[in-house]
Amino acid sequence: MSSGVVIGVDVGTSVTKAAAFDEEGVSIAAAARPSRLHRLPDGRVEQDLDDVVDSVGAVVREVAAQLGRAPAAVALTGQGDGLWLRDAAGGAVRPAISWMDARAADLVTRWLDDGTVRAAYAHTGSGMFPGCHGPLLNWLQEHEPDSLTRAAVAGYCVDAVAQRLTGAVCLDASDATLPFLDPRTRRYAPQALAACGVERQAHLLPEPAAPGTVLALHGSGAALVGLPEGLPVLAGPYDLPACAIGSGVREPGDGLLILGTTLASQVLTDRVDLDPRAEPAGMWLCTPTPGQWLRAMPAMVGTAALEWALALVGARTADVDALLAESPPGARGAFAFPFLSEAGERAPFVEPAAKGRLDGLSLGTGRADVVRAVCEAIGYAARHCLEVAGLSGTLALCGGGTRSTLWAQLVADVLGRPVRIPVEAEVGALGAAQVARAVLTPSAAAPPQRHQCVEPRPEHRGRYEDGYARYRAELARARQRWSAHGPQPAL
């Protein structure tokens, strides 16, 4: 490599971030730019590809200006799922459909009823939710067939950005996972495409690239980011596995909880178990390391639920620690469900009809209790996801929620186990940069892991064990009300 510095770019749902990392994995320059989410009627959520690409150009140019020299490479990661339809030149044929989109919610409900989801799951180990390729492609076939006719690629955010920078279509296997990929072969399962009724759209799905594929900036891409033409570009893995890599998840059984807009739980494993009896939810994500996968259970809502609660009580993010300090464990009886996405829930169960809940209130309930109840509910949801994912080793915790010291402590208390919080805030960009470094300089050692550890407080263990038992019992009852899919397997 011509320089030891790699610029990692994390194209998030609402913010694009870039950071330059040295050989030790230390961030030496950073920048961020918002990108716009378009919330439309009926739970539709879309993004403009040009706006997203412009945000990438802005943050990379800013970081490169801070460095004063070209990096060795640009490494891309970002949001997964959704549907980013492009023509052969990489232009959007319609606005990108976000992973948060709910237009196909009724279709997923029907597929849960008629066994479609389970039929696909038997071949892929991936569940489905309204904002993934299966239901979205089917929905477009019925409602917007011209969009599919004009498209050459049905891809994702990261490969869409990479195509605009390099001219090449390069899809990481992690992005390709949901819902058609057999993770054992890294190839699409035709049975899953058939189950979703989208076999005739198979030509739009790029085959996953070989691990370690290196692209290069072409003329317009180089002009966009202000870097030399020909500079190496690596695309993927997407943000969930990139965050696991950047957080130091190394051994099977180790896990990561991302306390971000979404609540993503992952556990590293050296085997894939496509158990047809299991709840058809989550996914098995391919990693850059052959023979290793991440069992992922990404719930729909994380910090977004807290932001809703803060808006409800007229508070700000800066108030979280003070509010949590004001309310005791158990929130004076206030109780919540965090299922606030208009698309329902996707892990550790799939239920488009799932709804949030806030009850147990009285005249003695204060706004701090409301906030604590929601934070505890998110903690309980995380514990449920991690149990289903098979956590048995160490656990890292990252994401915007870790900026609240007391919320991170609450998560450790609810989980009843220590959590390691990486010192580096942009672990997704760091993970992408580490993957790039390993490809371009195979002899380079992995950087040392820098983190702080939060221990659970034993005096709160009983309270949260009882709280979690109540959460699971209430959830089981709620699922019977939400769903007409019949009895659910025990999780």
Side-chain angles (χ1 to χ4, degrees), residues 371-457:
V371 170
R372 176 172 277 276
V374 171
C375 287
E376 290 180 346
I378 296 168
Y380 294 140
R383 179 169 170 176
H384 191 184
C385 287
L386 288 165
E387 287 179 354
V388 175
L391 178 67
S392 60
T394 64
L395 179 66
L397 177 67
C398 71
T402 61
R403 288 193 290 268
S404 167
T405 301
L406 292 189
W407 196 10
Q409 180 65 66
L410 184 155
V411 169
D413 291 343
V414 168
L415 298 178
R417 62 188 308 136
V419 297
R420 298 183 298 107
I421 302 177
V423 172
E424 172 54 54
E426 302 305 335
V427 293
L430 174 60
Q434 288 180 354
V435 171
R437 191 182 305 282
V439 170
L440 298 173
T441 311
S443 61
Q449 293 301 313
R450 300 177 301 136
H451 61 265
Q452 59 180 346
C453 188
V454 179
E455 297 283 345
R457 295 173 294 188

Side-chain angles (χ1 to χ4, degrees), residues 79 84 207 235 251 307 352 454 461:
Q79 58 180 298
W84 298 63
E207 287 295 331
E251 299 297 328
E307 291 163 3
V454 179
R461 181 173 181 83

Side-chain angles (χ1 to χ4, degrees), residues 104-117 138 142 352 485:
D106 290 345
L107 178 61
V108 173
T109 298
R110 187 161 69 247
W111 284 359
L112 287 165
D113 286 338
D114 66 18
T116 296
V117 172
N138 188 291
E142 180 175 353
H485 317 318

Side-chain angles (χ1 to χ4, degrees), residues 181-258:
L181 196 75
D182 182 336
R184 300 163 299 185
T185 64
R186 294 182 179 239
R187 300 186 66 84
Y188 298 115
Q191 302 94 330
L193 286 155
C196 295
V198 295
E199 310 99 304
R200 63 183 183 274
Q201 310 305 336
H203 67 284
L204 298 177
L205 303 176
E207 287 295 331
T213 297
V214 180
L215 310 175
L217 285 176
H218 65 9
S220 61
L224 176 75
V225 296
L227 294 173
E229 190 171 350
L231 188 84
V233 175
L234 288 93
Y238 86 100
D239 58 3
L240 295 193
C243 284
I245 294 165
S247 296
V249 176
R250 299 277 189 267
E251 299 297 328
D254 290 350
L256 171 67
L257 172 62
I258 304 175

Side-chain angles (χ1 to χ4, degrees), residues 99-186:
W99 62 272
M100 302 171 70
D101 193 272
R103 75 189 68 199
D106 290 345
L107 178 61
V108 173
T109 298
R110 187 161 69 247
W111 284 359
L112 287 165
D113 286 338
D114 66 18
T116 296
V117 172
R118 186 167 289 280
Y121 181 86
H123 300 282
T124 65
S126 288
M128 273 186 263
F129 71 105
C132 72
H133 268 48
L136 288 176
L137 286 172
N138 188 291
W139 190 94
L140 288 174
Q141 282 184 164
E142 180 175 353
H143 299 282
E144 283 186 31
D146 288 350
S147 294
L148 295 174
T149 300
R150 296 195 305 273
V153 179
Y156 303 81
C157 176
V158 176
D159 64 284
V161 171
Q163 186 176 6
R164 295 290 283 271
L165 295 182
T166 70
V169 177
C170 182
L171 180 64
D172 190 81
S174 62
D175 247 330
T177 296
L178 196 68
F180 304 127
L181 196 75
D182 182 336
R184 300 163 299 185
T185 64
R186 294 182 179 239

Side-chain angles (χ1 to χ4, degrees), residues 355-366:
K355 299 297 181 186
R357 172 176 166 183
L358 181 61
D359 59 13
L361 310 181
S362 71
L363 292 177
T365 303

